[in-house]
Amino acid sequence: MKLLTPSAQRAAASDAAIASLPGFANHEPRAHEFAVLDPSTEQRIATLPSYSTEYAVEQVAIADEAGRAWAATTPRHRSDVLHDVYAHLIANRGRLAYVISREMGKTLAEAEGEVQYASDYVRWYADELLRPAGGYRENPAGGSTILTKRAPVGLALLIAPWNFPMAMITRKIAPALAAGCGSIIKPAGLTPLTTLLVVELMAEAGIPRELMRVVTTTASGAFSEAVLGDPRVRKISFTGSTEVGSTLMELAAKNIVKSSMELGGNAPVLVFDDADLERAVEGVFLAKMRNGGQSCVAANRIFVQDGIADAFVEAFSEKMANVRLGAAIAEGADLGPVIDGRAVTRLTSLVENAVDLGAELRAGGSAPEVPGYFFEATVLDRVPAEAEIASTEIFGPVAAISRFSTQAEALELANATPFGLSGYVFTENLDRALNVADQLETGLVGVNNGVPSNVAAPFGGMKQSGLGREGSHEGLEEYQEIRFYNIARRDTV
Ligand code: SIN
């Protein structure tokens, strides 16, 4: 298989963007340092400090003090600065996209899309913070009036994943800043460069550096224990696996820290006979292949009704077989590498196991023998229920399709998982769309829509997929406490 490779000029441009980042070094990692690799080449692109827990706790003191001063600024001031941040991020779209592509492996076109998506959170909260929620109530028994208001929750710990290195940071930091909170930010060890660049650009646009303290470290467990053990930290927002989320919730419980957890998914997709075939193929392709399938909301178990199944599988497989694999910054690449070698090994084993148990391989299926962590866009049809891929989060460009005959059967299959982040339904029948969406046990549902995420929507899961919501006004509330004043009244004459 021929892989698309980038021009030398393009590679040099991204190298320059990376070399200017704070903390960057260009040598093999020494003690208390770690390397960041380019998944398209397996080459080191940066060496960064792995900070100690003492350093992390020093940052808590700095960000806590800065957060108190920030909370005292006017909403108009915070809104204006966040609007300036939005404009500055967009003005640096090319640089940000390069860095995202180089360290995470998504194509430049997708990375540019992520820059817009990520920046939109900043713009959304710049506007949203001007409309603080509050209320007025009467004591039913008379004699007092109750006012409710929102106050900043205090210092927030933000722990981000590697799959959307910019959007998952701005989706946390924008509402934190809007609410009036300082933050300690821990980027993923695999993709810290984007966070460093985002925070640098935010500081250039006017956010005080003391408010956003980034701690790069490979000692994640010790870091979380030290920071969550500090009573000045009042909030944690984490995106990552359910397993790590559960450990963080235990740590957060000690000081009763308000927690938002965006955890694992296992999204069911239901394609009914009455779906529009073209729309369904396009929608499922997006739901599967956005970010190379490396998303918590990615289509994971694709259930197709018997009457449309052959036509769907044919058209979908053809589309997947035409996906051009290449280095993330290569001209014309549709799909870059997956994040690391472990992901390649896991995907290979999931595909082999499914085929051994009777699944039909309709496209792709293997990892090309070239440098870089590549895996072909793959389609498996008639995946048996006992195959490992039928119950695990795939997190890669492999589509696992099985078939169903009735709506009731489809819903039973879809909900037979401890996870409940996203679900998808494809049908042209409005009644069916709403009935099925109502019965899916997921926090969000894409109806004839392969990309339901939106800044104006409250992203988050049910069951073991998490707690709390990100985006929309609900995402701002995650960084606020509700308070009330009960004002006694007596009659006057
Ligand atoms: C995620 O994969 O965690 C986020 C995806 C999204 O925002 O759509």
Side-chain angles (χ1 to χ4, degrees), residues 129-165:
L129 77 90
L130 292 175
R131 297 174 198 103
Y136 172 94
R137 298 159 206 199
E138 292 294 350
N139 177 348
S144 75
T145 286
I146 297 164
L147 301 182
T148 66
K149 66 172 289 184
R150 308 262 169 185
V153 66
L155 184 61
L157 168 60
L158 312 178
I159 306 184
W162 53 263
N163 61 342
F164 288 90

Side-chain angles (χ1 to χ4, degrees), residues 375-434:
F375 201 89
E376 293 173 316
T378 297
V379 181
L380 295 165
D381 187 19
R382 299 183 188 276
V383 172
E386 60 278 18
E388 200 186 336
I389 202 166
S391 56
T392 201
E393 190 176 16
I394 301 169
F395 235 72
V398 178
I401 301 175
S402 45
R403 300 168 181 227
F404 69 90
S405 53
T406 65
Q407 178 178 307
E409 182 195 353
L411 280 165
E412 197 179 323
L413 288 165
N415 290 332
T417 165
F419 300 98
L421 182 54
S422 59
Y424 299 84
V425 52
F426 290 86
T427 172
E428 294 296 300
N429 178 328
L430 180 62
D431 291 322
R432 189 193 299 287
L434 294 176

Side-chain angles (χ1 to χ4, degrees), residues 116-199:
Q116 184 62 57
Y117 177 49
S119 306
D120 278 344
Y121 282 104
V122 177
R123 180 164 52 170
W124 171 274
Y125 285 110
D127 291 334
E128 191 63 20
L129 77 90
L130 292 175
R131 297 174 198 103
Y136 172 94
R137 298 159 206 199
E138 292 294 350
N139 177 348
S144 75
T145 286
I146 297 164
L147 301 182
T148 66
K149 66 172 289 184
R150 308 262 169 185
V153 66
L155 184 61
L157 168 60
L158 312 178
I159 306 184
W162 53 263
N163 61 342
F164 288 90
M166 181 170 176
M168 296 304 100
I169 284 291
T170 56
R171 189 151 91 181
K172 296 181 192 305
I173 197 166
L177 288 167
C181 305
S183 340
I184 303 295
I185 305 163
K186 190 196 144 328
L190 291 163
T191 57
L193 303 172
T194 306
T195 300
L196 292 172
L197 180 54
V198 168
V199 167

